[in-house]
Amino acid sequence: MQPWGSNDLQLASLDFMGDPEQLRARALDKLHAMGGKVQLREQYEGSDPSGSIVVTVDAKGFVRDVDIRKDWQSSVAADGFAAALFDAYTAGVQQILETTALAELARQEQERRAESERREAEREAARRGEQPAPVPRAAEAEGALPPEDDREFHAWVLDSLYRIGDEMYRVEKVERELASPPQESTITGPRGYLKVRHQKETILGVTGDGTRIRMAEAQQLRSEALEVFREAQHGGDR
């Protein structure tokens, strides 16, 4: 999973419809309903509409567990099992996106309130004829200005060069990936129940053999689902 950068993309990840202002208003409503605080978790769960299949993913979207009710066939047709499994997976990923978006919105709201309080303090000081406390320049606040001590300056230069080198490497990596996008691959489970289509660690879809699935036990399906997800996302190294 890649990090989400822009505010528009983050708000768009929420399950809302409307223009940007409507999206933000609805997101704020949800944030306020949560008390203005968002707790990022290590794992998230998603389920299919019937609740028969639950997929647990970590914060990066990697599948960690799959739970299948023993009576899943009372709610999900065998031919629809693979689609339900994919629905559960995407629901888990949606939880990550929404929580991340709300956490970013909470941070923005905190900064907005702090800025509003600062301006109000300045206006109040001006009304009293006082000089407001100087606000540190962004470069000073972030430690971007070089230190005066020679040894500290040398260390600061080296650290800056390392950071620049890391950033250049990341940019070049993204450029290479854009120039040569990874090919799609398909992983087939050992029992032939399921097939997972993926692009690197991103799961694109799940299909299955309804006839074989119909005859399988829940534990067998769970084992196969875990195996194909992990093979797709980790290349079999876990």
Side-chain angles (χ1 to χ4, degrees):
M1 303 289 295
Q2 297 297 319
W4 303 276
S6 73
N7 183 47
D8 290 341
L9 285 176
Q10 289 169 332
L11 291 179
S13 71
L14 298 170
D15 190 17
F16 301 133
M17 297 296 291
D19 61 33
E21 289 304 316
Q22 291 176 327
L23 290 175
R24 186 175 184 86
R26 294 175 186 177
L28 283 171
D29 287 342
K30 189 159 190 174
L31 181 62
H32 293 158
M34 300 169 65
K37 296 181 180 180
V38 181
Q39 182 64 45
L40 296 175
R41 305 193 300 273
E42 293 183 358
Q43 294 187 338
Y44 299 81
E45 290 184 349
S47 69
D48 72 299
S50 75
S52 300
I53 305 170
V54 176
V55 174
T56 302
V57 295
D58 65 18
K60 293 184 179 180
F62 292 110
V63 174
R64 294 305 180 193
D65 198 8
V66 175
D67 183 62
I68 301 170
R69 279 193 345 217
K70 292 183 179 179
D71 63 343
W72 66 268
Q73 292 198 58
S74 64
S75 303
V76 180
D79 291 338
F81 176 86
L85 177 64
F86 185 62
D87 285 344
Y89 164 76
T90 54
V93 172
Q94 181 68 20
Q95 287 289 318
I96 303 171
L97 293 171
E98 182 171 317
T99 304
T100 303
L102 288 172
E104 173 61 17
L105 184 59
R107 184 191 65 79
Q108 293 174 3
E109 284 298 291
Q110 185 178 16
E111 290 182 352
R112 184 188 62 78
R113 286 193 297 269
E115 178 63 15
S116 178
E117 291 172 0
R118 183 187 67 81
R119 291 180 179 178
E120 180 59 29
E122 289 181 348
R123 286 193 291 268
E124 184 63 26
R127 282 194 293 267
R128 295 194 303 264
E130 299 174 356
Q131 183 70 22
V135 178
R137 290 185 298 173
E140 293 174 336
E142 297 174 3
L145 292 179
E148 296 181 1
D149 181 82
D150 289 344
R151 286 176 297 182
E152 292 181 359
F153 176 77
H154 181 68
W156 179 84
V157 169
L158 290 177
D159 185 59
S160 299
L161 290 174
Y162 284 132
R163 287 200 305 270
I164 293 171
D166 288 342
E167 184 62 27
M168 290 179 63
Y169 172 78
R170 286 193 291 270
V171 171
E172 290 174 356
K173 183 179 179 182
V174 170
E175 290 176 345
R176 288 196 301 269
E177 290 179 350
L178 291 175
S180 302
Q183 295 181 344
E184 292 184 12
S185 301
T186 300
I187 300 295
T188 302
R191 301 176 186 84
Y193 299 143
L194 300 167
K195 290 183 179 180
V196 168
R197 186 167 56 88
H198 68 103
Q199 191 175 55
K200 297 186 69 175
E201 71 271 14
T202 302
I203 306 298
L204 302 176
V206 182
T207 57
D209 186 325
T211 301
R212 294 187 180 185
I213 290 173
R214 188 176 294 106
M215 303 299 294
E217 296 180 359
Q219 184 59 32
Q220 291 175 313
L221 293 172
R222 174 184 180 274
S223 176
E224 175 126 333
L226 280 172
E227 190 158 347
V228 290
F229 276 134
R230 287 172 177 168
E231 176 70 22
Q233 293 186 313
H234 300 288
D237 61 350
R238 294 187 185 182

